[in-house]
Amino acid sequence: MSRSSLRRELVIPITVLVIGVSAAIGWVSMKAGTDAVYTLTQRILVDMVNRINHATEKHLDGALIALESVAPSAGNVPKEQAFPTDMKVLEEKFWVASGLFMDVNNYVYFGGNDGRFVGVYRISNGMVQLFWREPEWNKRFVYRVGHVGDRAELLRSDAFDPRLRPWYQAARESEKPVWSKIYNNFSFHYPTITLAKAVYQKNHEFAGVVATDLTLKELSNFLRKLEISKNSVAYIVDADGFIVATSGQEIPERTVNGVPERMRAIDMKTPLINQTFQKLGNASALTSGTQPIETSIGTVDVAISPLGIRQGLNWQTVVAVPRSDFMSSINQGFLQSMVIAFACIIFALTIGLTIVERVVRDIRKLTSAAEKFGNGEPMPALRINRTDEIGKLAQTFTEMENKLRFDKLTQVANRESLFAQINYLQKQALEHPGKIGGFTLLFVDLDRFKSINDNHGHDAGDKALVIIAARLRSAIRDTDEVARYGGDEFVLLLKDTSNSIDINNMVEKICSVVEQPIALDDVIVGVGVSIGWASFPEDGEDYVRLIKIADSRMYNRKRDRKSAQSVHVV
């Protein structure tokens, strides 16, 4: 065999082997990374849709509450009440109602069957406008006012008859509150939807319509503040396919013959909106859940969820994320793996395999962490100390996990993370009976915290919450968990409490630590602590019951403390 043929026999098989092995490892790395990204993407999509729905329905509920405060439903009052049509009485009521939810629901008004109109529009705390039209007038006057009854500054007048407005006519024909179609506000030209309700005199004679506006511009502003991914888009559509709000920069409105007109999702120029909606089909027939959709810009993962059903609307929330947004780091890592494979041919097979194995190991960590995170299990520390794309992916994964699991203000666990950990402990106890110890929940409620906010401002209250959360963390073991349940309430998850700790001693310790004076910037404040507890499995086997029992014991303790203080004062 010649020297050249021996070289070929040695080099070619080794080269083919290294390329084949490297290609296989590259494929495994790509598959593992894709699985990890897909798992995380689905979780982010679902969580983002839920967040949008929660915020939007809060605004819709605000409109219902505003009307209810002015014209209560029969089921919410002890006896039938006639609606007061006296304009001065209504002015006082609307001052209160328009201030309930000023961000998006700050305009409340009434149109009477005789043409009278009164409305209060709170632009800000220092800027309030009053709209006024007496029955015999043919114009409506708009005043800038500072208090009820103020008419000092006339801003403008306009030809306005409430009886001709669509919201008035729709409410008159309905027996319950009715939402209007989306339109441009008569006075301010904002995309708006109106909730209107017919009201009656005591003799059941029709008196007019009371209504409130929900400004949709604020919903779009909220969507634009969401951090999903670089090229993603979130939008809300009504049952007819018209855009309600969108996170994109494109305005869902066009002018036809000089008249502004709302746009359907399929007519938008933004590809992620019109293409995903075309693929999804009719807005009223959308199916909730997540699904991949092929578009001209590649595969797009889409999450859909109904919105506003409880409030009487048939809207849909859609979040669309190009898969390439999450796959760019994986793709770059795959190309680098191929470069490393060719370098291995030149330098050494061993070096190449070592490098590739390191890549695979780290991506497997990401996959395992994503699966645990999706199942609600505690996510292990990744310990991926790299500066390349995989390191960036690991860092991004950790940051996303922190955003989803930890309270933004206090940096302790949030409510969802607490429930996930409890479910995991319960699952472990069922799978390993007798081997997994029980756990205890401590429900912590702060006394006198409201006075800090009232006397020193919410910034001071936030700083106090951060300090209290740190004190709670220091009072328990490293294996235990502190979670902010909401407002000034915390829940402590004490693991393996069958025989290892005395709950009463732990409660006293926490009270002693938390009730120490708190030094803020220029004042020293203090809070009291009321704590209730519940243990698994003695007090219950699901977190809803455990929280309820701990909360009840906390209130009993708070009541006993107040009673003791009252006796001491006497």
Side-chain angles (χ1 to χ4, degrees):
M1 185 178 292
S2 66
R3 183 177 179 183
S4 59
S5 63
L6 180 61
R7 181 181 294 118
R8 285 196 301 271
E9 290 183 13
L10 293 176
V11 172
I12 292 176
I14 294 175
T15 302
V16 172
L17 177 62
V18 171
I19 292 176
V21 171
S22 300
I25 293 176
W27 180 85
V28 171
S29 301
M30 187 69 176
K31 181 66 167 60
T34 300
D35 291 344
V37 169
Y38 180 78
T39 300
L40 183 60
T41 301
Q42 301 307 301
R43 180 62 182 270
I44 290 174
L45 284 173
V46 172
D47 287 348
M48 195 57 64
V49 165
N50 291 338
R51 182 179 174 187
I52 292 171
N53 284 4
H54 176 75
T56 304
E57 290 184 345
K58 181 180 179 181
H59 295 325
L60 298 176
D61 286 337
L64 291 167
I65 293 171
L67 283 195
E68 194 68 20
S69 69
V70 175
S73 301
N76 295 331
V77 292
K79 61 181 179 179
E80 182 180 6
Q81 296 183 6
F83 183 81
T85 57
D86 184 276
M87 295 177 67
K88 293 183 179 180
V89 173
L90 290 176
E91 179 184 357
E92 294 181 3
K93 286 180 173 287
F94 292 167
W95 266 83
V96 176
S98 61
L100 295 175
F101 306 98
M102 287 183 57
D103 290 341
V104 294
N105 182 227
N106 54 358
Y107 182 32
V108 184
Y109 48 94
F110 167 75
N113 64 346
D114 56 0
R116 71 181 64 198
F117 183 85
V118 56
V120 175
Y121 175 47
R122 285 181 179 263
I123 301 174
S124 65
N125 286 327
M127 179 65 174
V128 181
Q129 292 184 2
L130 174 68
F131 297 77
W132 196 272
R133 183 185 190 269
E134 297 283 353
E136 64 274 11
W137 294 355
N138 57 6
K139 284 189 177 183
R140 178 180 67 172
F141 292 86
V142 183
Y143 302 89
R144 178 172 179 172
V145 298
H147 54 80
V148 176
D150 184 11
R151 305 288 188 277
E153 183 179 353
L154 176 64
L155 296 178
R156 64 183 184 277
S157 64
D158 52 37
F160 180 87
D161 188 335
R163 295 168 293 184
L164 303 179
R165 300 302 296 163
W167 53 265
Y168 183 97
Q169 298 170 8
R172 182 167 188 173
E173 298 173 0
S174 176
E175 296 180 356
K176 58 184 180 179
V178 59
W179 294 94
S180 71
K181 299 262 185 202
I182 299 173
Y183 65 95
N184 276 356
N185 182 280
F186 183 85
S187 300
F188 308 104
H189 307 293
Y190 296 152
T192 303
I193 186 170
T194 295
L195 178 64
K197 176 181 180 180
V199 291
Y200 301 87
Q201 299 287 5
K202 196 167 185 178
N203 57 4
H204 300 287
E205 179 182 354
F206 175 71
V209 175
V210 61
T212 183
D213 289 351
L214 186 70
T215 305
L216 301 181
K217 182 178 72 171
E218 291 300 324
L219 294 182
S220 291
N221 291 339
F222 169 75
L223 294 182
R224 292 189 183 104
K225 294 177 183 178
L226 298 176
E227 296 181 3
I228 308 174
S229 70
K230 180 180 179 181
N231 299 302
S232 62
V233 66
Y235 60 95
I236 301 173
V237 292
D238 64 14
D240 297 321
F242 286 96
I243 292 289
V244 176
T246 172
S247 64
Q249 297 302 316
E250 182 183 3
I251 300 175
E253 178 184 297
R254 60 187 173 189
T255 302
V256 179
N257 298 326
V259 179
E261 180 182 281
R262 304 299 299 166
M263 292 180 64
R264 297 178 184 270
I266 57 175
D267 297 326
M268 296 286 284
K269 295 181 180 179
T270 304
L272 269 182
I273 296 180
N274 62 49
Q275 293 189 32
T276 55
F277 194 76
Q278 285 179 5
K279 295 282 186 178
L280 293 172
N282 191 311
S284 61
L286 293 183
T287 303
S288 299
T290 60
Q291 58 180 287
I293 292 178
E294 296 298 329
T295 68
S296 62
I297 59 176
T299 303
V300 177
D301 289 306
V302 178
I304 312 104
S305 178
L307 171 63
I309 302 298
R310 179 168 51 84
Q311 292 81 9
L313 291 170
N314 185 17
W315 290 356
Q316 296 284 344
T317 300
V318 182
V319 177
V321 180
R323 189 167 291 181
S324 58
D325 280 8
F326 293 101
M327 286 299 298
S328 58
S329 295
I330 296 296
N331 292 333
Q332 293 177 12
F334 178 74
L335 293 176
Q336 285 195 347
S337 297
M338 297 304 296
V339 172
I340 292 172
F342 286 108
C344 290
I345 299 174
I346 299 173
F347 295 104
L349 181 61
T350 305
I351 297 175
L353 291 175
T354 302
I355 295 174
V356 174
E357 179 59 28
R358 180 168 175 257
V359 174
V360 174
R361 182 181 66 248
D362 289 341
I363 293 183
R364 284 174 179 165
K365 289 181 181 179
L366 287 172
T367 304
S368 176
E371 292 176 351
K372 289 181 180 294
F373 181 68
N375 293 332
E377 302 177 30
M379 197 181 81
L382 293 176
R383 294 189 178 87
I384 299 178
N385 300 318
R386 304 170 66 116
T387 59
D388 59 7
E389 288 75 12
I390 295 176
K392 293 178 181 178
L393 178 62
Q395 180 181 357
T396 302
F397 186 94
T398 302
E399 291 173 353
M400 289 181 179
E401 190 263 345
N402 286 337
K403 288 181 180 179
L404 292 173
R405 284 194 169 179
F406 293 97
D407 178 63
K408 185 176 181 180
L409 174 65
T410 60
Q411 292 302 303
V412 298
N414 57 26
R415 184 194 297 224
E416 290 74 15
S417 176
L418 172 69
F419 293 161
Q421 292 185 57
I422 295 174
N423 285 333
Y424 173 70
L425 291 176
Q426 292 172 334
K427 179 181 177 182
Q428 290 293 100
L430 291 175
E431 293 177 353
H432 307 283
K435 296 182 180 180
I436 304 299
F439 60 86
T440 297
L441 300 181
L442 300 184
F443 198 101
V444 180
D445 182 73
L446 303 181
D447 302 328
R448 305 191 306 276
F449 179 77
K450 183 177 182 297
S451 64
I452 298 178
N453 283 331
D454 294 342
N455 297 328
H456 307 290
H458 287 279
D459 288 342
D462 288 346
K463 292 178 181 178
L465 283 176
V466 172
I467 294 173
I468 291 168
R471 290 179 177 180
L472 290 172
R473 179 72 267 178
S474 67
I476 61 176
R477 301 167 299 180
D478 292 338
T479 56
D480 299 331
E481 187 67 85
V482 177
R484 186 181 180 191
Y485 193 74
D488 60 350
E489 296 175 334
F490 294 85
V491 173
L492 277 58
L493 172 59
L494 309 181
K495 303 173 183 177
D496 192 17
T497 57
S498 298
N499 302 305
S500 58
I501 65 173
D502 186 324
I503 301 300
N504 290 324
N505 289 340
M506 177 60 72
V507 169
E508 295 302 325
K509 177 182 177 182
I510 292 171
C511 291
S512 175
V513 171
V514 175
E515 291 179 349
Q516 294 294 320
I518 300 173
L520 301 180
D521 293 337
D522 55 357
V523 68
I524 295 178
V525 299
V527 298
V529 180
S530 296
I531 301 177
W533 61 271
S535 295
F536 173 88
E538 292 85 355
D539 293 315
E541 295 187 352
D542 66 271
Y543 68 81
V544 175
R545 178 170 176 78
L546 292 173
I547 290 289
K548 184 176 181 180
I549 291 175
D551 186 36
S552 176
R553 288 174 175 169
M554 178 275 292
Y555 275 108
N556 290 339
R557 186 180 179 91
K558 184 188 291 287
R559 182 194 59 207
D560 294 342
R561 292 181 61 182
K562 289 183 178 179
S563 298
Q565 290 173 357
S566 299
V567 172
H568 180 71
V569 171
V570 175

